[in-house]
Structure formats: structure tokens, C-alpha cells
Amino acid sequence: MSGSTEENAWEREHVWHPYAPMPNPNLAYQVQSADGVYLTLEDGRKVIDGMSSWWSAIHGYNVPELNQAIEKQLKSMAHVMFGGLTHQPAVDLAKLLLEIAPKNLKHVFFADSGSVSIEVALKMALQYWLGQKKNHKTKFLSLSNAYHGDTFGAMSVCDPDNSMHHLFKGVLPKHRFVAPNIESLRQAFKTYHADTAAMIVEPIVQGAGGMLFYTAEVLAEIRSLCDEYDVLLIADEIATGFGRTGKLFACEHADISPDILCLGKALTGGYMTMAAVLTDPKISQGIQQQGNILMHGPTFMANPLACAVAKASIDLLLASPWQSRVANIETQLKTGLQACLASKKVADVRIMGAIGIVEMKEAIDVPAIQAKLITQGVWLRPFGKLLYTMPPFIASQENIQQINNAIGMQCA
Ligand SMILES: *Cc1c(COP(=O)(O)O)cnc(C)c1O
């Protein structure tokens, strides 16, 4: 284990980490620097970041084009308020997002994190129905095993059985949850449509709620049920956006467009916190029907540094052979990880795009497995029964091989 310094001991007593106790009995590995696919730890060891810093660092680290974009922007301004002021980086990023997103989406709201973008999307849906004088449409329909973030609105549409719901019972508004299969969906829409404002989904790949996949047919059915029953569709592509599943956006697997789309995580190539909510004009106009306007405005909305690096990251992605990179990673994860199915410890192996998941039968001892993975030169952050990787798209064949081997050794 690294970081046995006094500094580290102090930190464990005083600084919170995600979903961690305070004080923290587990050491956090101190990272000295990051370059390409590698994190260099304080003791000099280099590990491949098989997590892309939670889906975000798709180009890896210390990327010259992204560094340059921030440095250049820094010379003119780091930040100005977006209320009543504007700037070129925001305009340029908005244009680019609307060019690459589903064509019906015409309006962009910049938020400061994924969870906040979910709050904005939910608020938009509620305000849309207020605009239609359908004030009773206040419920949301979400999928079992959904994860949409940690703020209160977002928590309320996370699966109640495998999230923090039970801690906030009585505080969280009650919404409805349905399994991603056609029969359950039809039943749920039939039962609940009248007071449902929107259905919210992670298209095709469900992330932190269980790393599960469902089919394009199911996603297409969700879209058509929303149309049939006059329910809005919010697509949370915070994890799946920007190529991770093999398509630029996971909605493309079913050839559908949401009414509201949330983007985050890889939006800035992992450089800064930022999210975006894109909407169909129907939403934006609908909100204003009764003379209201969208009531949201974060202090750091459309931060120029974040806008500049996001644009540079998307430009870099589009100029790269990302499709073949992701396809090659998919092929290699398939050949490498499917061997794990032979192990008695392994319940399932799932691969899509640059996402590889090995589901164990028992809960993983995370600190112990992480220490072993690090000796194999790989950084992963398993949770529950899930050992999984979503590597940077720039990972070489050797890098993926090393990740596969490291995961394989934990399954043996
Ligand atoms: C990470 C994530 C969020 C929350 O984003 P934050 O930036 O962590 O607030 C929401 N939805 C999905 C699908 C995510 O993966």
C-alpha cells in the first residue's frame, strides 16, 4: 500500500472521500501525476487507469490538445457570470453539441455536474407540464437499477432498493420504477401515465445501479410508449455519451431521440466538472406557455475553461478513429474476459463497447482486490459484486491485455 506518510494519516482523519467513512480506515492511493493511460502513484508505481476516472478521461491524461485549450482560455478569462453576460467558448460548445446530438434537440442548458443536470431535466419536465396547465403531472417513471446521481431530485429517481433511498425515506418524493422489459413497461405506462411528467432512463447501459444492459428494442418501446401516453422522455447519457457504448450516444442504438438529454462525465474529457442539458424546442416553448421561464441558474454556469476544454475534447474525439478504437477494445475485452465465466466465482460477464464487466457471485473485498490489481499495474474500483473496466479509448492492445489479465487473476 502506498501513502504511509504522516500526510496520508492526517488526510484520513480530516478529508472525506466518496462513499467513505470519516475517519477513513482505508488508505486512498496518492496520485502524483497522470499521463496517457497511466496514473503515477506517490511511490513511483505506474498503473493503468481502467476506470477513466469514472467514465470521464476518454482521451487519457495530460492530453496536449486539452491542456492547450485550457491554457489559451485562461489567458482571456477563467470565469465570468453567465447571467446577462456571454462568451465565445459557451457559444462554440453549444453549436458543436447541437451538431452532434439527435437533430430534434435545439437548446442547451449548461450545468455544473451530472447530478445538477438531472435536477434541471426533472425541473424542465415539471415546468413543461405547468405550461400545459397539467399541474397534476408531477411523477416520474424510472427503471429498476437506475442511477441518476446523488442530489435529492436525482436520488428520488434512483432505484429505491439498491441506492440510498432507505436513508431518506419520508424526505424523497415517491416516484415509480419499472423493469426494462416490454410487458412491464406497457403495464406501467397504462397504470401511471395520467400523473407522470416524464420517464427517465440511462439508455442501453445502466451504470452505477448495477452495470446492466438492456436491448435497443426496449429503448425503442420506451420512446413509443412516451409518445402514445403523452409522457416526456429524459435520456441520461452522462455515462454513455461520447462513444463509450460504441455509438456517439447510446440512444443511437435504438435510433431514438429523447425530449431532454443530459450529458456530463466525458463531456470535458475528464478535465473539469461540467454537464449539459439539451432539449427539443417543444420543451423550451412549453415551459414558457403560461409566461414562466426556466428557474435555474448556477453560479458557475457555462464556465469558460470548462466550455473550452469540452469543445477541444469533442473535436479531438471526432477527429480520432474512436469507432474502431472502441470496437477493438470491445473485441479484446470479449475474448479476454469471457474466459472468466469458467470460474466458479463468476456469475456473469457482460461487454459492450469500451465497457467490460465481470459479476462475481459474492461481494468483492474491495481494498484487498484493489491492492492485488495494483501489483498487476491496474487501477479499478469494484463495487458490490462487480469488477469492471471502462478504459480510456486511447488504451493500446497491451494495456487492455494487462487489464484483462489483472481481472482474470482475481477470478481464478
Ligand atoms: C455519474 C452519473 C450521474 C451523476 O453525475 P455527477 O457528475 O457525479 O453528479 C448521473 N447519471 C449517471 C448515469 C451517471 O453515471
Side-chain angles (χ1 to χ4, degrees), residues 54-55 112-118 147-151 154 202 205 207-208 236-240 264-265 273-275:
W54 273 337
W55 310 84
D112 23 19
S113 75
S115 299
V116 172
S117 78
I118 297 294
Y147 175 79
H148 295 292
D150 290 355
T151 51
E202 295 155 273
V205 175
D236 174 355
E237 295 235 23
I238 293 166
T240 52
K265 291 204 161 98
T273 178
M274 174 176 238

Side-chain angles (χ1 to χ4, degrees), residues 328-340 351 404:
N328 290 340
I329 292 173
E330 178 176 66
T331 306
Q332 220 191 330
L333 288 173
K334 276 187 179 154
T335 28
L337 296 182
Q338 260 155 12
C340 295
I351 286 112
N404 281 346

